Amino acid sequence: MAHLRSRRRLALTLPLGLALTASLGFLPGAASAAPADSPAATGSSATADAGALAYVVNTRTDHRTLASVKKAIAKAGGTVVATYDRIGVIVVHASNPDFGRQIRAVKGVQSAGATRTSPLVAAGTTDEGAAQILSKTQAKSLAAQATSGTEPLEADQWDLRAIGADKAAKINPGSRDVTVGVIDTGVDDTHPDLAPNFSASQSANCVGGKADTSPGAWRPYDPAEDYHGTHVAGEIAAARNGIGVAGVAPGVKVAGIKVSDPNDGLFYPENVVCAFVFAADHGVEVTNNSYYVDPWLYNCMDDPDQKAIVDAVNRAQLYAQKKGTLNLASAGNSNDDLDSDALVDDSSPDDATPVHRTIDPHKCFDIPTQLPGVVTVSASGPTGAKSYYSSYGKGVIDIAAPGGDKFQFPDTPSKNGRILSTMPGGQYGFLQGTSMASPHAAGVAALLKSTHPRATPAQLQALLKAEADNPGCPSDPYDGDGDGVVDATCEGGKHVNGFYGFGIVDALDAVKK
């Protein structure tokens, strides 16, 4: 089984707010969505469709249009897998190589395209480097150094102290009325640090484009490989229960919505559409998205397939926002200046042979990171400096949060600058990446929602920015890996800049103000 787990990526937010809004002007402002009339897709994209491609077909939302488009889909040789009728997104499998062109010509179809470049077979995350699993001996040694009133491994959680989360937990650990949905590789809800806060009723497996809510469907396919979502969940809401570690918001609930394909580990568009709609319809207040939607690192609006992907995912995430869900996403691990005029993408498509292309980030979008209203998070290390791998850019990054940095050494027992959190099978391990930064911000957002239960997603985003602490651009040239070469240039002032956006999130302020 081939898995792609630790992909470096360029993750952008919206450099020119109006540019993306204008480009996405064809998207409907749907008020509600619900999957309809389709068989459950519980594992891979469907054995019966081997040799086919998956498509998203985006239409007007009236019932007459949906019905006529479905007839056209069948006539063109397509099979409907799932229908999200209130946002006008239909997930289709088709072997007809001309299906996309034919269906785009149908009345009522606003965009349509393939969600991958390789056929379905029977059956990307933003962490940086391999996981470091704690052995039982190491965990026991670290636990022996714990101080009274802390979790056994908390001495190594420099990240909690960096944003005041340890102090915040004593004031308000978060409300049980708030749930953070981890859209990821699955969550091991049997982990003793996650079980007390896990919400099974708000969890699902969205692989294939339709939610499977059968017991345990949200768990990782392969715990040894698919540890990413469990680590993220622990950063957000590991319980303060005298076991292992603590999360940023140890009193809130956490849900797992699995979207990674079991064959290649990729996060295909139809899975993510399902996840956003499911989260919204099940009362999830915050989602964490530490990935980019495959197979394209950037989706260019002059390509009909990529345009359809942007359209479909944006409809779903806008629907979630309208239902009261704040969506946060990681900024990427390429150490790129995301405010540049052009970027090189030589990793797409990642489900086939990549091609070298230079793209305009104002016309080609990383999703969901770059979609309207999504909070984009860069990473900082133990010293508060930008993590060496984290992408950046003035007017691009919204906020920053601890993501770890192996070149920055904290004053902890292990001296490990990465992030310690939960791993499947009751284990614990260190990871670093903007994948780890985003859940820290999601945890703070959950604390804000706990403190301000009536706040809208837009208001929560404003609170995140207002209460963040901005260290400003460094006075010396930035050399993240210490090799004597300037690695990045920070632009902007003390209030907003390219490294930290509005600043590093502050959990203590979230519960005090």
Side-chain angles (χ1 to χ4, degrees):
M1 182 183 296
H3 290 270
L4 302 178
R5 294 296 169 211
S6 185
R7 302 190 305 276
R8 295 177 63 88
R9 73 164 193 170
L10 314 180
L12 307 183
T13 188
L14 189 56
L16 297 174
L18 294 179
L20 183 56
T21 302
S23 297
L24 304 184
F26 57 87
L27 302 180
S32 60
D37 70 349
S38 59
T42 57
S44 172
S45 301
T47 300
D49 291 314
L53 285 179
Y55 292 82
V56 283
V57 179
N58 306 305
T59 76
R60 295 199 301 264
T61 58
D62 62 280
H63 294 301
R64 179 175 297 180
T65 295
L66 287 164
S68 65
V69 170
K70 287 180 183 178
K71 290 181 181 178
I73 288 171
K75 185 177 180 181
T79 301
V80 173
V81 175
T83 303
Y84 294 91
D85 52 5
R86 299 297 179 84
I87 60 171
V89 176
I90 306 173
V91 179
V92 179
H93 290 172
S95 299
N96 174 9
D98 202 32
F99 177 82
R101 185 191 64 79
Q102 290 180 14
I103 208 67
R104 283 191 287 270
V106 171
K107 183 179 180 180
V109 172
Q110 296 173 314
S111 62
T115 65
R116 58 199 75 195
T117 62
S118 294
L120 297 168
V121 295
T125 58
T126 50
D127 50 315
E128 171 70 16
Q132 297 179 330
I133 305 296
L134 284 183
S135 67
K136 290 183 178 180
T137 299
Q138 290 172 320
K140 185 176 180 180
S141 174
L142 292 176
Q145 302 178 60
T147 58
S148 177
T150 67
E151 297 298 280
L153 302 180
E154 192 173 347
D156 259 305
Q157 291 189 272
W158 60 266
D159 48 306
L160 296 186
R161 295 183 288 279
I163 59 174
D166 54 334
K167 296 177 181 177
K170 297 176 182 179
I171 299 172
N172 183 356
S175 170
R176 302 294 292 175
D177 294 330
V178 175
T179 301
V180 181
V182 176
I183 300 176
D184 213 295
T185 62
V187 174
D188 179 6
D189 58 303
T190 69
H191 194 292
D193 249 338
L194 297 178
N197 290 339
F198 192 78
S199 178
S201 65
Q202 295 170 293
S203 298
N205 175 3
C206 269
V207 174
K210 190 176 189 300
D212 172 12
T213 58
S214 58
W218 51 78
R219 292 173 188 153
Y221 287 116
D222 181 352
E225 292 284 345
D226 302 320
Y227 50 75
H228 190 269
T230 301
H231 195 278
V232 165
E235 293 172 57
I236 296 167
R240 285 190 172 273
N241 57 356
I243 301 172
V245 298
V248 172
V252 306
K253 293 186 292 185
V254 65
I257 307 176
K258 183 166 63 179
V259 294
S260 60
D261 189 274
N263 296 285
D264 53 21
L266 300 183
F267 291 54
Y268 289 113
E270 61 269 29
N271 305 350
V272 175
V273 167
C274 169
F276 279 126
V277 173
F278 180 87
D281 286 345
H282 288 78
V284 171
E285 286 80 11
V286 178
T287 70
N288 184 80
N289 302 271
S290 292
Y291 61 89
Y292 69 88
V293 172
D294 300 289
W296 300 96
L297 182 59
Y298 298 105
N299 294 270
C300 297
M301 302 302 284
D302 60 357
D303 180 281
D305 292 320
Q306 295 167 41
K307 176 182 177 181
I309 290 172
V310 176
D311 187 355
V313 176
N314 193 54
R315 291 179 185 219
Q317 73 88 19
L318 284 178
Y319 168 70
Q321 288 185 49
K322 290 179 180 179
K323 293 274 280 189
T325 305
L326 177 67
N327 304 311
L328 296 94
S330 55
N333 301 335
S334 302
N335 189 37
D336 281 333
D337 182 353
L338 305 179
D339 191 31
S340 60
D341 295 329
L343 294 169
V344 173
D345 174 18
D346 56 9
S347 65
S348 301
D350 58 9
D351 65 339
T353 302
V355 296
H356 184 97
R357 59 180 185 160
T358 300
I359 62 95
D360 179 351
H362 303 97
K363 298 178 181 178
C364 300
F365 307 118
D366 167 39
I367 57 174
T369 302
Q370 204 172 350
L371 296 175
V374 174
V375 178
T376 302
V377 188
S378 64
S380 58
T383 68
K386 183 187 86 69
S387 299
Y388 71 93
Y389 52 79
S390 181
S391 294
Y392 60 100
K394 184 180 179 182
V396 177
I397 301 301
D398 290 313
I399 53 174
D405 190 319
K406 66 182 181 180
F407 295 114
Q408 298 179 36
F409 303 102
D411 184 17
T412 61
S414 70
K415 301 295 189 292
N416 195 319
R418 299 170 179 85
I419 304 296
L420 179 62
S421 187
T422 49
M423 300 289 275
Q427 294 183 300
Y428 299 88
F430 290 94
L431 283 172
Q432 65 177 8
T434 54
S435 272
M436 286 59 254
S438 184
H440 281 77
V444 174
L447 293 177
L448 285 167
K449 184 65 174 179
S450 300
T451 307
H452 307 277
R454 296 186 179 181
T456 66
Q459 290 170 334
L460 286 178
Q461 179 168 174
L463 287 169
L464 271 174
K465 293 176 178 178
E467 297 177 5
D469 301 316
N470 203 321
C473 289
S475 57
D476 297 325
Y478 177 81
D479 177 12
D481 55 9
D483 64 356
V485 177
V486 176
D487 297 318
T489 300
C490 180
E491 296 183 355
K494 180 70 175 180
H495 180 58
V496 185
N497 58 65
F499 277 12
Y500 307 101
F502 283 80
I504 300 173
V505 294
D506 191 322
L508 185 57
D509 277 356
V511 300
K512 289 176 62 178
K513 298 181 179 179

